[in-house]
Amino acid sequence: MTVESQGRKDKKLPAVLQVLPALETDGGGVERGTIDIALALQKAGHHSMVASAGGGMIHELNRAGIEHFTLPLDTKNPLIIARNIGRLEQLIEAYGVDIIHARSRAPAWSAFRAAATKSIGFVTSVHGPYSGASNFLKNRYNRVMTYGDRVIAISRFIADHISRYYKLSPDRISVIHRGVDTDVFDPAQVSHHRTIQLAEKWRLTDGGPVIMLPGRLTSWKGQEVMIKALAHLGRQDIACILVGSDQGRDRYRNRLEDMVKRMGLSSIVHFTGHCSDMPAAYMLADVVVSASTRPEGFGRVVAEAQALGKPVLVSDHGGAREAMRRSRTGWLFPPGDWKALAGMLEKVLSLTTEQRLSLAKLAVGYIQRNFTKRKMCNRTLALYKDLYGERSSG
């Protein structure tokens, strides 16, 4: 395709290039948010583009006709980061990019320099509370995420963090919460057949309560806390589903499996691996747990579970606390405190049918009013337009 044919659909709207390390299928909120915004931009008439090192989620862009440029943006190697500056400058020039939106630190360094050279808008999204703020070198590396003309924080927790640690004026930060696709995470759209199919695949027996902890198998996601809580709970009439890929962390998965055997929980704990139908997975659960021992930037699991009417139990830190109605649709417990988690599990599992129906209605309504993908996309596109208008008039 020639450069001349790459003009944006509507020259009154900014052409936006999003950059991130990769688009792996088992990635998290960074990847999903990038795809959601790319599709929203295209639908609204913008020229929407994405650059990354590649991955399985590229097919979603290809299916929609959105350009993806494969660049080594997943490396922290200073030499490659420097080379990526020139590569991005070429894309900006050739495709008429007006705004470059960086969603991670390594690509942000290249994007920041390229945007400055080409005098275009630079936006960053801060998805997590980066560690090492007290270390000079790490602080310097992290700080690029505060260099945006507009800085998006995915929760008030993240906004407070970057304001405090990086001395960024609060008026430069826009809090745009992650959004749930409520067309997909909708109880009415999840067929009984899908849940039965998943239950059979996971060999769940009928009748007993189901506890679910979604999250990739990594130590800070709290699987060990969950297992200890189950041992303390002392019930054998339940099933606990640990949903998530180990992403090659065989040693950690083996440690968890040994722990389950040692505590006599082999008959109730199920390791499912990656799940491609999370709405159906949530519908199988009686309670969903987010037991992260480090603060989550937002807590996508918490919002998705409530969108399907499920009660949530959540570690009391980070942005996940913002995505629930405390003591109404979810309950908080001290991070890492398996005894407190066990007590709350017992409480939630004892809710009556009437209480569950009331909670479900409240939870679904709360997410649909406050944490939808549509709201996230609309606010992000409005931010792009505001920045583009500001730079154009200047």
Side-chain angles (χ1 to χ4, degrees), residues 1 8 90 100 113 133 139 144 157 170 174 184 205 229 238 246 257 263 286 338 362 370 374 380-381:
M1 196 176 289
R8 55 184 174 271
Q90 291 175 4
I100 189 164
R113 299 296 183 188
N139 184 293
V144 68
F157 162 68
S174 298
V184 174
T205 57
I238 60 177
D246 60 21
E257 290 176 342
M263 294 185 169
D286 292 281
W338 64 86
L362 189 63
N370 297 287
R374 179 178 297 177
T380 304
L381 267 60

Side-chain angles (χ1 to χ4, degrees), residues 12-45:
K12 295 179 182 179
L13 299 174
V16 180
L17 170 64
Q18 297 183 83
V19 295
L20 71 161
L23 280 166
E24 298 298 343
T25 307
D26 57 357
V30 175
E31 294 83 358
R32 185 71 260 159
T34 300
I35 298 291
D36 289 343
I37 294 300
L39 294 171
L41 281 164
Q42 185 197 52
K43 184 177 180 181

Side-chain angles (χ1 to χ4, degrees), residues 34-321:
T34 300
I35 298 291
D36 289 343
I37 294 300
L39 294 171
L41 281 164
Q42 185 197 52
K43 184 177 180 181
H46 296 255
H47 188 179
S48 175
M49 297 157 278
V50 177
S52 80
M57 295 177 77
I58 291 176
H59 77 275
E60 294 190 51
L61 299 176
N62 292 338
R63 191 167 59 233
I66 295 172
E67 290 135 328
H68 175 271
F69 307 103
T70 302
L71 298 176
L73 294 169
D74 58 344
T75 179
K76 296 180 181 179
N77 184 309
L79 292 177
I80 299 178
I81 288 175
R83 291 182 191 133
N84 284 337
I85 297 171
R87 294 171 175 133
L88 290 175
E89 288 175 358
Q90 291 175 4
L91 289 179
I92 291 167
E93 186 69 30
Y95 290 84
V97 175
D98 298 298
I99 293 171
I100 189 164
H101 183 169
R103 293 180 172 272
S104 187
R105 291 164 292 178
W109 276 108
S110 303
F112 168 61
R113 299 296 183 188
T117 299
K118 293 299 181 180
S119 299
I120 67 168
F122 180 49
V123 175
T124 58
S125 280
V126 183
H127 291 263
Y130 300 122
S131 61
S134 60
N135 178 290
F136 174 78
L137 291 178
K138 287 187 177 180
N139 184 293
R140 180 77 177 88
Y141 179 66
N142 297 343
R143 189 173 290 275
V144 68
M145 299 305 292
T146 69
Y147 290 172
D149 300 308
R150 298 288 189 277
V151 178
I152 297 173
I154 65 167
S155 64
R156 290 189 297 274
F157 162 68
I158 293 296
D160 291 343
H161 176 82
I162 57 179
S163 178
R164 181 169 64 254
Y165 283 102
Y166 301 103
K167 310 304 179 187
L168 187 66
S169 174
D171 60 13
R172 287 191 53 213
I173 304 170
S174 298
V175 176
I176 302 179
H177 287 101
R178 291 285 314 284
V180 175
D181 187 343
T182 49
D183 291 331
V184 174
F185 290 87
D186 175 359
Q189 299 303 318
V190 182
S191 68
H192 194 50
H193 172 73
R194 282 165 60 188
T195 58
I196 291 175
Q197 190 176 46
L198 203 54
E200 290 176 347
K201 177 182 177 181
W202 291 345
R203 298 179 181 178
L204 298 178
T205 57
D206 293 333
V210 175
I211 300 164
M212 178 179 294
L213 190 154
R216 62 188 181 277
L217 298 189
T218 185
S219 59
W220 73 273
K221 284 293 186 178
Q223 287 89 4
E224 291 175 278
V225 177
M226 182 78 258
I227 293 167
K228 290 177 182 177
L230 293 171
H232 191 74
L233 190 62
R235 290 177 57 169
Q236 291 291 321
D237 63 331
I238 60 177
C240 177
I241 311 171
L242 302 180
V243 183
S245 169
D246 60 21
Q247 298 179 325
R249 301 181 185 90
D250 296 336
R251 185 177 300 178
Y252 181 63
R253 180 181 179 126
N254 291 339
R255 190 169 89 202
L256 292 176
E257 290 176 342
D258 288 344
M259 187 177 178
V260 167
K261 292 176 184 176
R262 190 172 65 253
M263 294 185 169
L265 301 172
S266 297
S267 64
I268 67 171
V269 176
H270 305 261
F271 294 86
T272 72
H274 174 72
C275 177
S276 59
D277 190 356
M278 282 307 297
Y282 287 123
M283 290 301 289
L284 286 172
D286 292 281
V287 57
V288 176
V289 178
S290 174
S292 300
T293 56
R294 296 200 322 239
E296 298 272 8
F298 171 65
R300 176 167 52 107
V301 162
V302 175
E304 288 176 350
Q306 288 175 103
L308 288 162
K310 301 301 176 178
V312 292
L313 300 181
V314 182
S315 294
D316 188 9
H317 55 185
R321 295 177 295 186

